[in-house]
Amino acid sequence: MKRFKKIFWTLLIVVVVAVCVFLFFKMTSKKDNTQAFKTEKAQYRDISKKTIANGKIIPRREVEIKPQVSGIIDELFVEAGDKVKKGDLIAKIKIIPNMVNLNEASSRVNRASNSFENIKLMYERKKDLHAKGIIPTTDFEEIELQYLNAVEELKSAENNLQLIKEGQVKNSIQPTNTLVRSTIEGMILDVPVEKGKSVIESNTFNDGTTIAFVADMGEMIFEGNIDETDVAKVSLDMPIVLKIGALQGQEFNAILEHVSPKGVVVNGAVQFKIKAAVKLKDNVFIRSGYSSNAEFVLEKKKHVISVNENLLDFDEDDKPYLSILTKDGKTEKRNIKLGISDGIYTEVMDGIDTSTLIKKPFYK
């Protein structure tokens, strides 16, 4: 009898413990399931669909100043950051003549000088004879023509020698081409040469040495690339908002003025070059080459029902739906129709209103 009671009480204790454990886990499960979700409601918002184009800010007009003669930089009169006007002096070139050309030019001068002296004596002699009527006019005119030709030949030879040595003939009314001047008004962006460096003039076989970069900093443009998926959505004269990395907190307005008709492959994606005129601010100086992002508003809607994108789910057919908490506390899978998105909030065109409770798991 005692053994029976012992077994009975043991079984009773086991059953009670099992029931308590079952009830504990059941209550815990319900509590966890309840806490696994929170609810949100849709709200009315203004939503803008945007795209971003990466690029840089550059002057609309930038020129390279090159020498008209080859030689060595004798003097530099500017440095980066200086403002210049058209015609201002930038550098002076010292010509180093080619020795072969110099020798030939000197030899030509000597020959022309000897010929001139010889013909000059003959000219003066016949001039006296002609004045006395001893020789006819035709003979004098012939020697006079030879004399004039000799004068011109000597002058030409001397000018050629002077040109080879100094880059300019004597008594020339033209400014010397050994002085390099700015061709536009603007700012010196860079002077890539130093005093004493050899420079080459621009010719058929060589682009020439750049002495300075000059740009008009009063007219800047944004130049960048836009993806092929968005290029059909933009149009000329579209307003753009520019954000420059070096100028935090500053935004600049711009107007799209060019979209390239031809795309190029950049990092595996087809990109189209765009240009936009930047509206500058009086108190902000934009340097050439600043990296910038151009923000395009492709579509905008005001006061539309929208939800946070992390509330969305998609079924096997990739159709969007929301998990709705009904009045009786149950969860309902409700299909919806989506509109535009700004990357954070998405317009919901049909399926819910602002009173609908949307369940959101904590892990999302």
Side-chain angles (χ1 to χ4, degrees):
M1 186 68 178
K2 290 182 178 179
R3 184 178 179 184
F4 175 76
K5 288 182 178 180
K6 186 177 180 180
I7 294 173
F8 172 76
W9 285 109
T10 302
L11 292 174
L12 181 61
I13 292 171
V14 171
V15 171
V16 172
V17 171
V19 171
C20 290
V21 171
F22 173 76
L23 293 175
F24 172 78
F25 279 107
K26 184 176 182 181
M27 293 178 64
T28 303
S29 176
K30 287 184 177 180
K31 184 177 181 181
D32 291 343
N33 186 57
T34 302
Q35 292 180 347
F37 294 91
K38 67 177 182 179
T39 60
E40 290 187 13
K41 292 182 179 180
Q43 296 182 15
Y44 284 102
R45 295 184 178 88
D46 296 341
I47 298 181
S48 299
K49 185 178 180 181
K50 303 176 181 178
T51 188
I52 302 295
N54 299 319
K56 59 183 178 180
I57 308 294
I58 60 173
R60 181 183 296 276
R61 189 182 183 196
E62 179 179 332
V63 298
E64 299 180 36
I65 306 299
K66 299 177 182 290
Q68 296 179 331
V69 293
S70 299
I72 293 177
I73 298 291
D74 192 35
E75 289 185 68
L76 283 171
F77 302 101
V78 296
E79 60 182 17
D82 289 349
K83 293 182 179 180
V84 295
K85 295 182 178 180
K86 183 177 180 180
D88 282 357
L89 198 58
I90 290 179
K92 181 179 180 181
I93 308 297
K94 181 180 179 181
I95 294 180
I96 306 299
N98 181 284
M99 296 308 296
V100 174
N101 294 339
L102 182 62
N103 183 62
E104 290 180 354
S106 297
S107 178
R108 179 185 170 187
V109 170
N110 292 332
R111 292 195 304 271
S113 179
N114 293 335
S115 177
F116 170 76
E117 293 296 335
N118 183 48
I119 294 177
K120 182 181 178 182
L121 292 175
M122 295 175 60
Y123 168 75
E124 291 177 349
R125 185 182 306 116
K126 288 192 176 184
K127 184 178 180 181
D128 292 338
L129 294 176
H130 178 262
K132 296 176 181 179
I134 299 176
I135 62 173
T137 301
T138 54
D139 289 351
F140 172 71
E141 290 177 346
E142 182 179 351
I143 193 62
E144 184 180 36
L145 178 61
Q146 294 178 13
Y147 172 75
L148 293 176
N149 288 338
V151 171
E152 287 300 319
E153 175 60 22
L154 178 59
K155 182 179 178 181
S156 176
E158 290 176 341
N159 287 340
N160 182 60
L161 178 61
Q162 190 72 21
L163 191 64
I164 292 175
K165 293 173 64 176
E166 300 180 12
Q168 187 184 29
V169 299
K170 292 180 179 180
N171 303 322
S172 174
I173 60 173
Q174 297 294 329
T176 175
N177 54 8
T178 59
L179 297 179
V180 182
R181 301 180 183 273
S182 177
T183 57
I184 65 169
E185 180 177 352
M187 177 179 287
I188 303 293
L189 298 184
D190 187 25
V191 182
V193 297
E194 297 179 355
K195 184 177 180 180
K197 181 177 179 179
S198 297
V199 294
I200 302 173
E201 64 181 297
S202 179
N203 53 51
T204 307
F205 306 101
N206 196 296
D207 290 336
T209 305
T210 299
I211 294 180
F213 293 89
V214 184
D216 180 5
M217 302 299 287
E219 191 174 2
M220 308 293 284
I221 62 171
F222 169 83
E223 187 176 273
N225 295 312
I226 189 170
D227 192 82
E228 63 176 329
T229 57
D230 296 320
V231 70
K233 303 172 186 176
V234 301
S235 58
L236 298 183
D237 299 327
M238 176 181 285
I240 304 171
V241 176
L242 299 177
K243 295 182 179 179
I244 300 175
L247 302 175
Q248 295 295 330
Q250 294 277 358
E251 291 186 351
F252 295 83
N253 295 321
I255 300 296
L256 185 64
E257 62 181 20
H258 172 76
V259 180
S260 175
K262 180 181 179 181
V264 294
V265 178
V266 180
N267 297 326
V270 179
Q271 304 279 314
F272 290 82
K273 181 176 289 187
I274 60 173
K275 294 180 181 179
V278 182
K279 295 182 179 179
L280 301 177
K281 299 179 181 180
D282 293 336
N283 59 338
V284 181
F285 176 66
I286 299 180
R287 300 179 186 276
S288 176
Y290 270 162
S291 60
S292 175
N293 292 328
E295 187 177 274
F296 295 81
V297 178
L298 302 178
E299 189 177 356
K300 186 175 183 178
K301 291 187 178 180
K302 294 186 175 181
H303 200 63
V304 294
I305 295 177
S306 61
V307 298
N308 198 305
E309 284 198 348
N310 60 11
L311 296 176
L312 297 175
D313 279 309
F314 295 86
D315 59 19
E316 295 178 354
D317 297 327
D318 205 29
K319 294 181 179 180
Y321 70 89
L322 293 172
S323 297
I324 305 301
L325 185 64
T326 61
K327 293 181 179 179
D328 57 2
K330 295 182 179 179
T331 300
E332 174 188 322
K333 176 182 174 182
R334 185 174 298 179
N335 292 325
I336 56 175
K337 183 179 179 181
L338 300 180
I340 67 172
S341 171
D342 62 5
I344 300 177
Y345 296 103
T346 299
E347 176 192 10
V348 180
M349 302 176 68
D350 186 32
I352 63 171
D353 56 32
T354 55
S355 64
T356 305
L357 292 177
I358 307 168
K359 296 177 67 173
K360 174 189 174 185
F362 279 112
Y363 61 80
K364 274 200 172 185

